[in-house]
Each structure stands twice: as C-alpha cells, then as structure tokens.
Amino acid sequence: MKADVQSIICASVPPAKGNGNETYTALVWRRLKRSWTGMIGLILVCLLMIMTIFAEFFAPVDPKLTGVGFAPPQTISMTDRGGNFVFPPRSYPIRETDEFDPVTFQPIVGPDYENPQTLGFFVKGFGYRLFGLIPAQRHFFGATDGSPVNFLGTDKFGRDVLSRIIYGSRISLMIALTVVFIITVVGTTVGMVSGYFGRRFDAWVQRFVELVLAFPQLPLYLALTSLIPVTAPTNVFLAFVIFVMSALGWAQLSREVRGKTLALARIDYVRAAMAIGATDRRIIFQHIFPNVMSHVIVAVTLAIPNVVLLESFLGFLGFAVKPPLISWGLMLQDTATYSVIGSYPWILAPVGFVLVTVFAFNALGDGLRDAVDPY
C-alpha cells in the first residue's frame, strides 16, 4: 500500500526542468544567452556575415564607378531647400562648383540643391550577379532613380567609400577565416599529438614550436610578402599572404592544446581506453579532442579579430592585398598623410568597420569562454 501511494505521488508530480537531461550544446546556449555582451557579439557577427555574403545587394554604388574625388558624405535630409518637411527622405548629390579653394586651388564641392535624390529601400541600381549566377539589380538602400549616392563620401579617385568597405569585407574576413581555419587544424593536431605521445617526441616538437614563436613576425611578414613580384597574379599573392600568416600563427594554439592534452592523457577513461587496446588515433580524436574542443572554439573567436587587425596593418603598409582586390587594409593606404586625414576625415571610415569586427568577435569569444564550461 505504501509503495502504491509513493508511485501515485511521483506520477502526479511533473518532471523538473533542468534535471540533467540537457545536452551540452543546450547548456552552452543557455549560458551564452545570459551574457549580454556575448549576445551582442553574436548578433554583430551574424550581421557582418550577412553583409559579406550579400555584398552586392548591400552596396549602394558600383565600387569601381568614379566621380568627384574626395567628395564629402551625402547627408539624408527630411526637408527640402526651403526647410519644408518631405517624405520619403532625400539626399543632395555633391557637385563641383566654379569656385576654387584659395589654399589647395582645388574646385570647391558642395550639395546640388537643384537635383535632389529620393531615397528608398530595395531600389534598382547597378547590375550584378548574386553568388555569381543570378542576375539582379536590386539594392538594399539607395536612390530610387538609380543614381549613385555616397553616404560615406568618396576616395581620391571618386569611388564610393561605403560600397568599397562592404566589398572589402569579403577579402578581409575571407583572409581571417581561412587563416584561422588553417591555424586551428594544424595547431590543434600538433598540440594533441605532441601532448599525447610525450617524451622525446614531445621535446623535439616543442623545440620546433619555440623556434616558430621566436621569429620576429612583423619583419618576417614584410620580408616574405615583398618576395612576390608586383606583376604576380592576385590569387597567387593572396595565397602567399594566407600561407605566411598561417605558418606563423599556429604555434601558440599548439602550446595551449598541448597543455590541456597533458592533463587529459592522465584521466581514468583515457587510461582505460589504452588498457583495452584502443589505437592512438582513436584515443586522440575520440576521447581527447572532444574535451579540448571548448578551448579551441574560444581560441578561434579570439584569433579572428587578431588576423583582421594584422591584415589591416599589412594592407596599410602595402603588403597584404594588391589592386584590383579591395580590403579594409588596402583602403587605409589613403590615410597615409596627416593632410588627407585632416581635410577628408571620412577616409577613415574603414577603421570603424575594423573596430566593430574586432569588438564583435572579442565579445562573442568572451561570452563563449564562460558558456563552454557550464558545469
């Protein structure tokens, strides 16, 4: 009778939530949602990826189209020339006037109030092929008549800065993601193998890792990238830059993964797998790798902004990407002189996108660092 009463009581009580049946992924996601910085980073990273994938759709102007050099950004106005409210919003194109600057003797540019541009969403503009296959003309935002609108001004050749930034995100993030992928694969594999086998093999591997870490990276970057002639194809130059960054970046991750592997190799379930005759390959990739994966994920999210900063710095020095390719670092070459920065500050716009990218991945990595260890 007592057993029947207990069974009835247990059946009437609903099962408690969070009773330990959650998967590891669900636990990580629940912890990540509690971090507001991590969620902001995740949202920004998703927006950056969407902008990169659909760069043609979000770019309001053809990045190769030239116009007035160093034209200031066009403002979005809700009023006409007389101050009356208008809708939809409009912008006034920048045109050269007949007057000249008394210092630089350059034609003075200003807004053309006689020819306003009506702005809207999903407007028609320059033609492109989405994913290289689907012909399209629609753009997320721009002038309804298809005329170019320079929301962040133009560079010295009159090319739209915003459109070039959006297109440049493809090269900058592609370099970062490719380099980090190679670094992750090589560094994780070398670290696990070195820490697992240990002894003399580990000693020799670590001496090589220390040799790689001892290289002064900046002079070596400049020396190696300068070996490629200027006339080399852009794909060859880009592949060489990725190779150099990857060859010098895997060693630090390898040391970190090795340290965790040394501790995991002494855990009971790993020793049990050795005792029953499991192969070394199975132990490394079936037992050790899942336990170092949380650290690797965090290391990846923190390594991407470092590569973005490195590419921007090398591009600014002229050692990363060559025209006709577009990257954030290459665009920053126009800011090499103080006079240009003082007279045309909108040329620094790529710096803002670099900062947002670095913040997004760092915030996501910081949130993941707390979430990957929910226990």
Side-chain angles (χ1 to χ4, degrees):
M1 182 67 180
K2 185 177 181 180
D4 295 338
V5 172
Q6 289 179 348
S7 62
I8 294 173
I9 294 175
C10 293
S12 63
V13 177
K17 294 183 179 180
N19 57 357
N21 294 329
E22 275 186 301
T23 63
Y24 177 71
T25 303
L27 288 171
V28 171
W29 173 243
R30 183 157 55 86
R31 288 285 297 269
L32 180 62
K33 288 191 296 184
R34 296 176 183 174
S35 172
W36 64 272
T37 56
M39 291 304 297
I40 290 176
L42 178 62
I43 293 172
L44 289 176
V45 168
C46 293
L47 292 177
L48 283 170
M49 292 304 173
I50 293 173
M51 182 189 72
T52 301
I53 295 173
F54 302 99
E56 299 92 349
F57 173 69
F58 288 101
V61 182
D62 186 350
K64 299 178 182 179
L65 182 66
T66 58
V68 178
F70 288 127
Q74 294 180 223
T75 57
I76 301 175
S77 177
M78 298 293 293
T79 59
D80 57 14
R81 189 174 184 179
N84 301 316
F85 177 80
V86 293
F87 187 83
R90 59 180 58 184
S91 181
Y92 299 96
I94 303 299
R95 296 287 184 264
E96 292 183 355
T97 64
D98 297 332
E99 302 178 1
F100 292 88
D101 189 286
V103 178
T104 62
F105 298 101
Q106 296 291 329
I108 297 177
V109 297
D112 184 5
Y113 293 104
E114 303 298 331
N115 300 292
Q117 297 170 303
T118 303
L119 304 179
F121 290 98
F122 304 104
V123 298
K124 285 188 176 182
F126 69 95
Y128 60 91
R129 287 186 174 272
L130 191 63
F131 305 119
L133 300 172
I134 306 173
Q137 289 184 328
R138 292 289 175 180
H139 298 271
F140 179 69
F141 189 70
T144 55
D145 59 357
S147 58
V149 184
N150 309 121
F151 295 106
L152 291 181
T154 61
D155 61 6
K156 60 183 177 181
F157 296 113
R159 298 171 298 190
D160 183 58
V161 172
L162 177 59
S163 298
R164 290 180 61 80
I165 290 174
I166 295 175
Y167 270 79
S169 65
R170 281 186 167 176
I171 298 297
S172 297
L173 292 180
M174 185 272 292
I175 292 176
L177 294 176
T178 305
V179 170
V180 170
F181 174 77
I182 297 174
I183 288 175
T184 302
V185 173
V186 176
T188 303
T189 303
V190 173
M192 288 191 304
V193 173
S194 176
Y196 174 76
F197 287 105
R199 299 183 181 180
R200 182 172 296 182
F201 177 79
D202 179 49
W204 281 105
V205 171
Q206 293 311 304
R207 299 297 81 76
F208 178 72
V209 171
E210 292 171 359
L211 179 65
V212 175
L213 291 174
F215 273 112
Q217 294 194 5
L218 180 57
L220 191 61
Y221 281 129
L222 302 182
L224 293 178
T225 52
S226 62
L227 295 177
I228 299 295
V230 180
T231 57
T234 55
N235 293 335
V236 174
F237 194 90
L238 193 59
F240 186 77
V241 170
I242 293 174
F243 170 77
V244 172
M245 290 184 179
S246 304
L248 298 178
W250 63 270
Q252 183 60 41
L253 180 60
S254 172
R255 293 293 292 268
E256 297 171 3
V257 173
R258 170 185 173 268
K260 297 186 72 68
T261 304
L262 288 174
L264 292 171
R266 296 178 175 85
I267 295 180
D268 292 339
Y269 65 82
V270 175
R271 292 184 177 274
M274 296 179 182
I276 63 175
T279 62
D280 295 332
R281 179 179 178 181
R282 179 179 178 83
I283 295 174
I284 292 174
F285 290 101
Q286 295 292 330
H287 298 285
I288 295 179
F289 177 69
N291 289 278
V292 303
M293 194 61 189
S294 60
H295 177 82
V296 171
I297 292 174
V298 175
V300 166
T301 56
L302 296 178
I304 291 176
N306 293 332
V307 179
V308 171
L309 287 174
L310 179 60
E311 185 278 329
S312 301
F313 177 67
L314 294 179
F316 173 75
L317 297 179
F319 293 101
V321 176
K322 300 292 184 182
L325 296 178
I326 308 172
S327 73
W328 292 339
L330 184 63
M331 293 182 64
L332 291 176
Q333 288 184 2
D334 294 337
T335 65
T337 59
Y338 290 105
S339 59
V340 172
I341 298 176
S343 302
Y344 317 110
W346 56 87
I347 298 299
L348 289 172
V351 176
F353 281 78
V354 173
L355 293 177
V356 170
T357 303
V358 172
F359 167 77
F361 281 100
N362 280 334
L364 178 59
D366 189 60
L368 283 175
R369 182 160 40 194
D370 298 330
V372 293
D373 189 16
Y375 302 102

